Structure formats: structure tokens, C-alpha cells
Amino acid sequence: MTIKDTPEEWETRASETPFVGNKTSVRTDEVVMPDGTVARRDYQVHPGSVAVLALDDQDRVTVIDQYRHPVRQRLWEIPAGLLDVPGENPLHAARRELYEEAHLKAEDWRVLTDVYTTPGGCDEAVRIFLARELSEAQGERYAVEHEEGDMTVTSVPLAELARGVLAGELHNNCLVVGVLSLVAARAGDGLDALRPADAPWPARPFDA
């Protein structure tokens, strides 16, 4: 048996969108179950996101300390952001987020991993990139607002982040998945064996 996620779509008898927000919405579908019954499923509709694990030549990762109101915590995260434009190339979005949140650019980009953040209640898909050969970006820094105005940006050794993840001290989804994926990639075929930055992404197809 091949262990691989596969496309499948059960019959939807009806669908409505009771809430539409600025970036996301909530949808209610009436879905036919295998026994023929119909169940209502509520979930958040999300445009998708990108995240960047930026690794410098001292084996440190660029991280951001930011307040997240839904969980009432300040979380250490990696640069990330929404796919604001339908069909947007995720690499372009990742470069933008690395510039806006950390004022960095990178010469080497690879796909680290692709994840669904909470597939039981949200259709958000995230592509996490590995960015290397870092340098400070040119030009003015991006003007921040709201929670971003209180962010702290720093670089932390990868080994320290991995320890914090396993100790239950770090909880941001993209940071946890990105750090552990990087550790696994190094232990496996190596970072140069990762997928190219423009690898297909069926969850969020994009223009070249």
C-alpha cells in the first residue's frame, strides 16, 4: 500500500456561506456520508498561505515574535503571509513576506513542505519554503501596522528551535513543521534533494 494523500470529493447536496470576512469566510455544506445519510460540515474558507524558513550561514533561522489574539499568546513564528491574489505564484508571495517581515532577500529557494493546517475545520493550505544565501534587502522597510507594529525579529540556532518544539515551548504550526522538516531533510537525502521552488502545488495551482 502506498502511503500518499489522494484527491476525493464526496457529494455535496447544498452549500451556503453564512459569514464572509475580510480575508476568509465560513461555509456550510450538506455532505452525503458513505451510508447515505447527510451531515452538515462547517469550515473556514481560506485563500492559502506561504511561510519561509530562512536559514543563514551560521545555521540560524529568522524568527518573529508576534502577539496572536485568538490564542492569547505571543508566538515565535517564521515569516508568513496570505496568498492575496488568486493564482499567485507562491514563490513570489514568499519573497514578498521575507522582505516585508524581515527585510531580507534570499538567492536559494526550495520547497520544504506543503501542509493543510487544520483540515478538519479549514481548507487553508500552506507551502513552506526553505530560503538560503540570505542578505539584507535594499530599499525602505515595509510599513507595518496593527500587531505587526509590535513584532521582534531575530535569528535563533536551528538546534535551539528544534529543542523548543519538542519541549512544548514553541507552538506555531509553520515554525514547528518547518523546523522538523528541515531536520528530517538533513537526516535524509539532504537539502539539495528538496523540491525546486516552482514545484507544482495541487492544493493551490498557480501561474508560472
Side-chain angles (χ1 to χ4, degrees), residues 10-170:
W10 293 1
E11 179 186 354
T12 300
R13 292 280 176 84
S15 182
E16 61 183 57
T17 306
F19 171 79
V20 177
N22 185 33
K23 295 292 185 180
T24 66
S25 60
V26 174
R27 181 176 298 161
T28 299
D29 291 343
E30 295 184 2
V31 185
V32 179
M33 299 290 110
D35 63 359
T37 59
V38 176
R40 291 172 62 89
R41 293 290 177 261
D42 304 316
Y43 58 99
Q44 183 183 20
V45 179
H46 194 286
S49 306
V50 293
V52 184
L53 195 150
L55 185 70
D56 68 15
D57 57 7
Q58 298 179 56
D59 215 37
R60 301 178 303 177
V61 176
T62 299
V63 291
I64 297 164
D65 176 41
Q66 185 171 354
Y67 174 67
R68 292 300 189 182
H69 186 70
V71 295
R72 309 306 199 268
Q73 290 193 31
R74 296 189 68 93
L75 300 181
W76 286 102
E77 308 179 351
I78 57 177
L82 298 175
L83 291 169
D84 294 322
V85 181
E88 180 180 18
N89 188 314
L91 177 58
H92 297 167
R95 285 176 170 152
R96 179 182 67 240
E97 295 302 328
L98 184 61
Y99 167 76
E100 291 181 355
E101 297 195 351
H103 202 63
L104 293 173
K105 63 179 181 178
E107 299 302 322
D108 186 277
W109 290 84
R110 305 293 173 105
V111 174
L112 190 52
T113 191
D114 300 322
V115 295
Y116 290 115
T117 55
T118 48
C122 179
D123 71 351
E124 180 183 14
V126 180
R127 169 156 281 188
I128 304 176
F129 289 91
L130 172 65
R132 294 181 290 176
E133 299 179 24
L134 307 178
S135 61
E136 185 172 351
Q138 301 300 311
E140 296 182 4
R141 289 186 175 272
Y142 179 74
V144 298
E145 60 180 358
H146 305 307
E147 290 91 344
E148 292 180 347
D150 192 42
M151 292 191 314
T152 300
V153 182
T154 190
S155 297
V156 177
L158 175 65
E160 183 176 336
L161 293 176
R163 183 206 61 77
V165 167
L166 297 179
E169 298 168 354
L170 300 170

Side-chain angles (χ1 to χ4, degrees), residues 1-7:
M1 180 175 64
T2 301
I3 305 300
K4 181 180 180 180
D5 297 338
T6 56

